Amino acid sequence: MDIGLARTFLEVVASGSFVTAADRLHLTQTAVSARVRVLEQQLGRRLFVRNRAGARLTAAGDRFVRHATALVQVWERARQQVALPAGRAEVVSVGGELSLWDPLLADWLVWMRRHCADIALRTEVDAPGRLLDRVQEGSLDLAVLHSPPARSDLVVELLVEETLVMVTTAADGTWRTDDYVLVDWGSAFMASHRAAYPELANPPVSITLGPLALAYLLTVGGAGYFRASAVRQHLADGRLQRVRRAPEFSHSVYAVYSTRGDAEVLGRVRDGLRACARPAGPRRRSSAA
């Protein structure tokens, strides 16, 4: 069977819509429908029921999900192993949310180079839902995420428990709405933030990357939420102050991977992530947030 058919099927399953799947695959809706129709003809069963809400799996389609996932995983693993660079014994693919690349995954890349030089690395940044889909389908070995939902056949392992705290450059620990910087720490944080600070629904400055936001704050002044471990030194040297009575928010980091992956390789990858996620781990950039 054409692997492209299995990929298209899984994309429709993940998105629940032929239209959305076509957009993600950069195809026309007609092309997606044609691929699903060919697959249904090969299997002799209808896989989806289409309605105004999108596409719903039939009983046969539901049974085919795990087989399609396995097909894609086997193909991805074969493709990566065949393309293995010279001098490398294994290859691992890791994805992460944008806010986690600096410093955690940047430090992890250095750790892997020093301790696991025999492993080739494939790394990328993507949206949380897409990363989970790709781990489940087998095109990624592991994803590093904040607050990932549970999914069948995926292990969600805690790497580090983080806390987001509100800090200010004002010496007296006060802050003003006019100089507040909103850092997008993900959907869970944003929901809690809206509830705690409805007056900050439209702040003057919004930044999606923590290190960039902290560098900006330290340069021009203001207040915002940052990881406690990232601002600890700035609090100690007096460049920042904690905002009194401001609520704290959980912001833990997790590794998500499939039980079908190579246990030995994933174990080495997770060792590196845990080492870099610990508060005592490498932190080369004082501006990391």
Side-chain angles (χ1 to χ4, degrees):
M1 187 189 75
D2 183 352
I3 293 297
L5 299 182
R7 287 189 186 281
T8 303
F9 167 78
L10 291 172
E11 196 61 67
V12 176
V13 173
S15 64
S17 165
F18 278 65
V19 175
T20 304
D23 183 60
R24 290 182 177 179
L25 293 168
H26 305 292
L27 298 170
T28 65
Q29 186 178 347
T30 300
V32 170
S33 297
R35 288 186 179 186
V36 172
R37 187 162 54 251
V38 169
L39 186 55
E40 289 177 330
Q41 290 171 351
Q42 291 180 354
L43 294 171
R45 292 290 186 275
R46 190 177 183 185
L47 301 175
F48 293 102
V49 175
R50 299 175 68 170
N51 51 45
R52 291 184 178 180
R56 177 174 55 84
L57 283 169
T58 63
D62 188 57
R63 290 193 296 271
F64 184 62
V65 169
R66 65 186 181 91
H67 298 293
T69 301
L71 284 168
V72 172
Q73 288 177 332
V74 169
W75 168 253
E76 285 297 328
R77 179 58 59 189
R79 185 181 64 80
Q80 291 175 1
Q81 291 294 340
V82 168
L84 196 63
R88 299 295 191 270
E90 299 287 348
V91 62
V92 67
S93 55
V94 173
E97 293 186 48
L98 177 62
S99 64
L100 285 169
W101 273 100
D102 189 352
L104 174 56
L105 292 177
D107 287 337
W108 172 78
L109 284 170
V110 174
W111 190 96
M112 290 294 292
R113 173 66 177 176
R114 291 173 176 169
H115 300 278
C116 303
D118 60 319
I119 297 180
L121 305 176
R122 306 281 186 266
T123 59
E124 58 187 272
V125 177
D126 210 333
R130 182 62 180 155
L131 291 170
L132 279 173
D133 291 341
R134 294 194 54 196
V135 173
Q136 195 155 38
E137 74 181 22
S139 58
L140 274 181
D141 292 305
L142 182 145
V144 184
L145 304 165
H146 294 297
S147 306
R151 289 201 182 184
S152 59
D153 299 326
L154 297 184
V155 178
V156 178
E157 177 181 332
L158 178 67
L159 290 176
V160 61
E161 291 185 287
E162 279 278 16
T163 302
L164 296 173
V165 297
M166 190 173 181
V167 296
T168 177
T169 54
D172 60 359
T174 60
W175 67 284
R176 298 181 307 138
T177 302
D178 288 346
D179 60 15
Y180 184 77
V181 178
L182 177 61
V183 186
D184 185 353
W185 293 107
S187 57
F189 166 77
M190 294 299 283
S192 296
H193 188 274
R194 282 193 297 270
Y197 301 100
E199 72 277 16
L200 293 174
N202 295 295
V205 178
S206 298
I207 301 177
T208 59
L209 189 61
L212 175 61
L214 185 53
Y216 172 84
L217 194 76
L218 291 169
T219 301
V220 305
Y225 271 92
F226 296 92
R227 295 184 302 111
S229 61
V231 298
R232 186 175 296 120
Q233 186 57 48
H234 297 305
L235 292 170
D237 62 25
R239 296 189 70 188
L240 293 174
Q241 305 294 326
R242 287 284 299 270
V243 175
R244 292 184 294 274
R245 292 188 291 277
E248 299 179 358
F249 301 109
S250 175
H251 192 61
S252 297
V253 181
Y254 299 83
V256 183
Y257 53 94
S258 172
T259 56
R260 293 182 292 271
D262 186 311
E264 195 275 333
V265 173
L266 283 177
R268 296 168 71 185
V269 168
R270 287 155 46 220
D271 285 346
L273 287 169
R274 285 191 291 267
C276 295
R278 286 195 298 265
R283 288 293 181 268
R284 301 178 308 282
R285 294 165 293 282
S286 63
S287 62

